[in-house]
């Protein structure tokens, strides 16, 4: 059953609103994938905060028209599923991870911050750790000198206590009377 004009306008408006805040769009061909597998993909996308939708290509072209993703319109042919995310990596990661387990999902193109991506570039983008992981790695690097200094001080204190005369250690351990 086809969409009437008002429904098409509503779809374009909804997708345009998502595209306006998006950093990444990944386009993949889904020909031959079973409905149950697509449902799993949608659930994973929802959990990651990724907007995933099968759209008519003409409606998708109208949605990206005049945005930084306009160059992606040339890649919009065939049965495509569109993955749109505000997070730079999430859309690519969801689609690429699913494509590893299901060879019928074929990544055709992507666009990150206005730059056109091919299949290899989408895979490279998907291999970047998530924002939370990157922040924790950065904090680990920043804390390494401080924790090394603290370990050094603890080792120095332990070394000094080993070298102290036995009488001083015994005096420190004996209860005050």
């Amino acid at each position: 059953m086809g969409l009437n004009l008002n429904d098409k306008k509503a779809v374009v408006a909804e997708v345009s609103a998502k595209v306006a805040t998006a950093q990444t769009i990944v386009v993949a061909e889904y020909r031959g994938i079973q409905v149950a597998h697509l449902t799993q993909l949608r659930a994973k996308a929802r959990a990651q905060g990724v907007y995933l939708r099968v759209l008519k290509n003409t409606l998708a072209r109208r949605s990206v028209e005049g945005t930084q993703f306009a160059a992606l319109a040339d890649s919009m042919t065939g049965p495509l599923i569109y993955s749109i995310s505000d997070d730079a990596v999430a859309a690519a990661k969801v689609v690429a991870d699913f494509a590893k387990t299901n060879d019928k999902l074929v990544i055709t193109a992507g666009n990150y911050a206005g730059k056109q991506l091919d299949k290899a570039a989408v895979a490279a983008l998907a291999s970047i750790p998530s924002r939370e992981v990157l922040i924790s790695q950065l904090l680990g690097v920043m804390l390494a000198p401080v924790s090394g200094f603290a370990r050094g001080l603890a080792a120095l204190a332990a070394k000094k206590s080993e070298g102290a005369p036995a009488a001083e250690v015994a005096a420190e351990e004996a209860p005050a009377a």
Side-chain angles (χ1 to χ4, degrees):
M1 181 173 175
L3 299 172
N4 65 27
L5 184 61
N6 290 333
D7 292 341
K8 289 178 183 180
K9 286 180 182 179
V11 168
V12 169
E14 177 187 345
V15 175
S16 294
K18 293 291 183 183
V19 168
T21 62
Q23 286 190 12
T24 306
I25 296 178
V26 176
V27 179
E29 188 173 316
Y30 67 95
R31 184 176 291 148
I33 296 179
Q34 296 176 355
V35 174
H37 292 139
L38 275 179
T39 304
Q40 291 173 351
L41 175 61
R42 286 187 173 108
K44 289 177 186 176
R46 207 172 314 131
Q48 297 293 325
V50 174
Y51 181 78
L52 188 76
R53 182 137 185 208
V54 174
L55 294 167
K56 289 186 173 276
N57 294 328
T58 54
L59 298 179
R61 282 188 203 101
R62 287 191 180 150
S63 298
V64 299
E65 204 171 80
T67 67
Q68 62 183 349
F69 303 108
L72 198 57
D74 297 334
S75 304
M76 295 178 181
T77 57
L80 300 175
I81 191 162
Y82 297 87
S83 177
I84 304 169
S85 72
D86 298 340
D87 182 2
V89 179
K93 189 176 286 294
V94 166
V95 174
D97 287 347
F98 188 79
K100 288 177 188 173
T101 60
N102 193 326
D103 60 342
K104 292 184 180 181
L105 183 73
V106 179
I107 298 170
T108 57
N111 193 307
Y112 167 67
K115 295 183 179 113
Q116 194 73 0
L117 305 173
D118 61 353
K119 183 178 180 176
V122 170
L125 184 63
S127 68
I128 295 173
S130 68
R131 182 176 189 268
E132 292 79 18
V133 172
L134 289 174
I135 289 172
S136 66
Q137 288 175 347
L138 177 65
L139 287 176
V141 168
M142 291 171 60
L143 289 176
V146 175
S147 61
F149 181 69
R151 282 193 298 272
L153 284 178
L156 183 62
K159 186 176 181 183
K160 278 194 169 195
S161 68
E162 286 177 7
E168 290 179 15
V169 175
E172 290 175 5
E173 292 177 1

